[in-house]
């Protein structure tokens, strides 16, 4: 159990304890600040560990940032030394390394040194630097708005998924009413979209609904008469693809779609609850390729007892299809997912080798990393990373992950974000997760969401 005199640091410290599987152990922590010095003292296994870090914060925001950073680093150093292990991103938890890098750059400091000081591996410091370099033209175009449209329907629910999606067979009676609410919401947001940068229809598996219902969503977006911009539909699982839906999608001006196989192993797909095969992935890709979309493919490292050779096979097969974007996720335990009911932590022997393999193969194939994010309870403390061919990066992914544009979001569980500026908190509005609750409260949702941007 953790005992600390600084309750505002508890959540950050617990993140480190979870990372190193030490949540049930006893720690006494004392924190103080004075004379430009952050002091952390830790009593663990009858030994005291003292840490002093010199830094003069300019305001309360910086004070809290440094206090959290040095407390986490102190616990990480104690536990990593005790266990004789280290993690690829060191003491960094709950923050995207790229965001930390941008904060340092804005202050005129070297982010590479800070990442190294936080225990980030040399390889991952270089990885972050590559992403920052690819993002330069997009980061320079900060501001504007991205439009997100939530379609939270799927054929089945995968064992690792924590989204609100339920099998469409069980929610079909709500789809028409849900789409009617989306039409109403979309009509209300036009005044908010003064500089639209991208449109993203996700969920869920948007292609899981009927073609006529999908067309109603497209028509409502089209009625906004937005200037031409990147337009992505997360079409989703290969088993819901059809020529009819793809042609409709192309006719309405969509420029990018996502095909999410997660693995190219039929055995793995069956284990995780997918109802499609590897052959279905190839069939969906072949159908979509004819329409000239930029295609995103998602893979997950660490699924269903896969070994290094299994994951490497999936990466090689994805590369052979030559999509615009390949995103490599690391398996994560998420609240609400079936997988989390089965285990409390993920111990995947080959996970580091899997991520290293994907980086090597994707780099050799001409892909560059362009965005990343990390999650709690992620296997091996690794990351999710999007890779793209040069000039074919997904604007929406960069804007959302780096939080450099407002996100105007419609639909159940859609989270709108207003970016208020440097050193100011991001303002959020989250719509209800439950589909029926969303339908019943859509008028209130419209009012409260639009007030966020008022």
């Amino acid at each position: 159990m953790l005992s600390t005199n600084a309750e505002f640091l508890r959540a950050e410290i617990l993140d480190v304890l979870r990372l190193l599987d030490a949540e049930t152990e006893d720690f006494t922590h004392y924190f103080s600040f004075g004379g430009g010095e952050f002091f952390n003292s830790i009593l663990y296994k009858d030994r005291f560990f003292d840490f002093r870090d010199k830094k003069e914060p300019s305001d309360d925001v910086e004070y809290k940032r440094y206090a959290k950073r040095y407390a986490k680093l102190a616990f990480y150093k104690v536990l990593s030394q005790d266990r004789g292990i280290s993690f690829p991103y060191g003491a960094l938890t709950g923050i995207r390394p790229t965001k930390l890098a941008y904060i340092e750059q804005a202050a005129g400091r070297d982010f590479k040194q800070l990442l190294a000081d936080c225990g980030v591996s040399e390889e991952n410091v270089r990885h972050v630097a590559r992403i920052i370099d690819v993002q330069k033209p997009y980061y320079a175009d900060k501001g504007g708005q991205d439009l997100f449209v939530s379609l939270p329907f799927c054929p089945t629910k995968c064992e690792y998924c924590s989204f609100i999606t339920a099998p469409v067979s069980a929610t079909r009676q709500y789809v028409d009413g849900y789409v009617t609410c989306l039409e109403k919401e979309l009509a209300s947001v036009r005044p908010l979209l003064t500089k639209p940068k991208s449109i993203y229809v996700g969920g869920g598996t948007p292609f899981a609904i009927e073609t006529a219902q999908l067309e109603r969503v497209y028509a409502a977006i089209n009625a906004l008469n937005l200037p031409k911009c990147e337009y992505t539909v997360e079409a989703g699982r290969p088993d819901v693809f059809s020529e009819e839906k793809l042609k409709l999608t192309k006719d309405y001006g969509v420029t990018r779609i996502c095909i999410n196989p997660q693995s190219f192993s039929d055995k793995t797909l069956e284990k995780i609850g997918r109802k499609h095969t590897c052959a279905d992935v190839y069939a969906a890709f072949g159908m979509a390729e004819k329409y000239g979309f930029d295609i995103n493919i998602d893979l997950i490292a660490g699924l269903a007892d896969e070994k290094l050779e299994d994951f490497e096979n999936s990466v090689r097969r994805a590369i052979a299809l030559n999509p615009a974007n390949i995103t490599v996720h690391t398996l994560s335990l998420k609240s609400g997912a079936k997988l989390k009911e089965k285990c409390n932590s993920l111990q995947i022997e080959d996970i580091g080798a899997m991520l290293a393999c994907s980086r090597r193969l994707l780099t050799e194939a001409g892909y560059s990393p362009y965005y990343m994010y990390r999650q709690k309870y992620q296997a091996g403390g690794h990351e999710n990373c999007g890779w793209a061919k040069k000039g074919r990066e997904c604007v929406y992914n960069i804007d959302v992950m780096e939080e450099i544009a407002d996100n105007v979001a419609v639909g159940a569980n859609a989270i709108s974000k207003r970016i208020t500026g440097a050193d100011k908190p991001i303002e959020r509005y989250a719509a209800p997760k439950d589909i029926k609750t969303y339908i019943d409260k859509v008028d209130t949702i419209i009012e409260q969401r639009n007030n966020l941007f008022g």
Side-chain angles (χ1 to χ4, degrees):
M1 179 179 291
L2 171 66
S3 174
T4 177
N5 71 322
E7 284 299 316
F8 78 102
L9 297 176
R10 178 178 292 275
E12 303 289 332
I13 294 170
L14 287 176
D15 281 346
V16 176
L17 300 188
R18 278 191 287 266
L19 178 68
L20 287 126
D21 197 24
E23 291 175 272
T24 60
E25 297 190 56
D26 292 327
F27 299 87
T28 300
H29 169 242
Y30 175 79
F31 166 82
S32 65
F33 172 75
E37 195 168 60
F38 290 84
F39 177 72
N40 287 278
S41 180
I42 300 170
L43 173 62
Y44 175 58
K45 292 184 177 179
D46 297 322
R47 292 179 61 194
F48 281 99
F49 301 85
D50 294 330
F51 300 89
R52 295 177 183 272
D53 296 280
K54 289 185 176 294
K55 184 72 74 169
E56 192 65 65
S58 60
D59 54 28
D60 189 56
V61 172
E62 278 202 345
Y63 164 75
K64 290 180 179 178
R65 182 186 301 153
Y66 294 142
K68 292 175 181 178
R69 178 185 302 169
Y70 293 130
K72 290 167 66 175
L73 187 55
F75 274 87
Y76 179 78
K77 287 178 177 178
V78 169
L79 286 166
S80 61
Q81 180 180 356
D82 177 76
R83 284 156 167 71
I85 59 175
S86 60
F87 284 85
Y89 287 94
L92 297 187
T93 64
I95 186 171
R96 293 178 299 281
T98 51
K99 184 173 184 178
L100 189 59
Y102 282 122
I103 290 171
E104 289 299 287
Q105 282 189 332
R109 296 187 292 262
D110 180 9
F111 72 83
K112 296 178 183 178
Q113 184 59 55
L114 174 61
L115 294 181
D117 291 344
C118 289
V120 179
S121 70
E122 290 184 10
E123 167 61 24
N124 280 343
V125 172
R126 290 192 294 269
H127 189 60
V128 172
R130 287 184 70 187
I131 293 170
I132 295 291
D133 186 57
V134 174
Q135 286 184 353
K136 281 179 181 177
Y138 302 97
Y139 205 81
D141 187 31
K142 286 191 272 188
Q145 307 87 28
D146 299 295
L147 174 63
F148 175 76
V149 181
S150 172
L151 283 172
F153 305 98
C154 273
T156 60
K157 188 164 183 174
C158 298
E159 69 164 12
Y160 54 81
C161 179
S162 65
F163 291 161
I164 62 167
T165 53
V168 71
S169 58
T171 54
R172 198 176 304 280
Q173 70 269 32
Y174 296 116
V175 178
D176 276 330
Y178 183 87
V179 171
T180 297
C181 291
L182 281 186
E183 290 170 330
K184 194 171 187 178
E185 272 212 271
L186 283 163
S188 78
V189 301
R190 183 61 185 94
L192 309 180
L193 301 170
T194 57
K195 182 190 172 184
K197 297 172 67 179
S198 73
I199 302 165
Y200 194 100
V201 181
T205 305
F207 272 21
I209 65 176
E210 299 298 326
T211 303
Q213 294 164 335
L214 187 63
E215 181 167 17
R216 288 174 59 194
V217 177
Y218 290 163
I221 295 171
N222 192 57
L224 297 176
N225 292 314
L226 300 178
K228 188 175 181 180
C229 62
E230 175 187 278
Y231 188 172
T232 302
V233 173
E234 192 177 5
R237 301 192 197 182
D239 48 325
V240 294
F241 275 58
S242 70
E243 290 283 359
E244 185 181 29
K245 288 177 183 176
L246 286 166
K247 183 179 185 304
L248 179 74
T249 299
K250 183 66 176 180
D251 288 345
Y252 272 92
V254 173
T255 59
R256 181 184 295 259
I257 67 167
C258 306
I259 302 174
N260 301 333
Q262 317 302 28
S263 172
F264 280 77
S265 163
D266 287 344
K267 182 179 178 181
T268 298
L269 292 171
E270 183 178 359
K271 283 184 178 180
I272 64 175
R274 290 288 181 117
K275 301 300 181 183
H276 66 82
T277 65
C278 180
D280 293 327
V281 177
Y282 286 106
F285 195 95
M287 277 194 285
E289 198 172 28
K290 299 195 302 280
Y291 293 94
F293 297 113
D294 276 339
I295 299 177
N296 296 1
I297 283 182
D298 279 15
L299 300 174
I300 299 178
L303 282 175
D305 303 318
E306 282 196 343
K307 301 301 182 186
L308 174 59
E309 56 268 27
D310 301 313
F311 182 68
E312 180 176 350
N313 176 63
S314 290
V315 176
R316 290 186 181 277
R317 288 194 178 203
I319 289 172
L321 290 172
N322 197 35
N325 184 115
I326 298 174
T327 300
V328 177
H329 300 267
T330 302
L331 187 63
S332 178
L333 285 180
K334 303 173 185 178
S335 297
K338 295 177 185 177
L339 182 62
K340 200 168 191 305
E341 297 173 4
K342 297 179 181 179
C343 58
N344 293 319
S345 63
L346 293 170
Q347 305 296 328
I348 301 173
E349 182 180 354
D350 294 331
I351 196 68
M354 290 179 187
L355 272 293
C357 172
S358 69
R359 290 183 184 184
R360 175 177 56 82
L361 293 176
L362 286 162
T363 298
E364 290 173 355
Y367 291 86
S368 296
Y370 76 97
Y371 82 98
M372 68 173 293
Y373 64 103
R374 302 178 64 232
Q375 298 169 295
K376 294 180 182 179
Y377 308 109
Q378 201 154 28
H382 290 280
E383 83 280 348
N384 305 319
C385 183
W387 296 74
K389 296 282 190 178
K390 185 174 178 59
R392 298 173 76 186
E393 297 82 10
C394 181
V395 173
Y396 181 84
N397 285 336
I398 296 173
D399 283 356
V400 168
M401 292 305 163
E402 302 307 336
E403 296 176 324
I404 55 175
D406 290 342
N407 194 284
V408 179
V410 302
N413 201 35
I415 301 175
S416 293
K417 295 182 182 180
R418 183 179 177 218
I419 311 301
T420 53
D423 293 327
K424 293 182 181 179
I426 294 170
E427 298 177 9
R428 293 172 169 82
Y429 176 74
K433 294 181 179 181
D434 178 69
I435 292 172
K436 188 176 185 305
T437 302
Y438 163 77
I439 292 171
D440 291 342
K441 295 185 175 181
V442 69
D443 290 331
T444 300
I445 292 166
I446 289 171
E447 179 183 0
Q448 293 178 342
R449 194 257 339 286
N450 288 5
N451 283 343
L452 175 69
F453 298 98

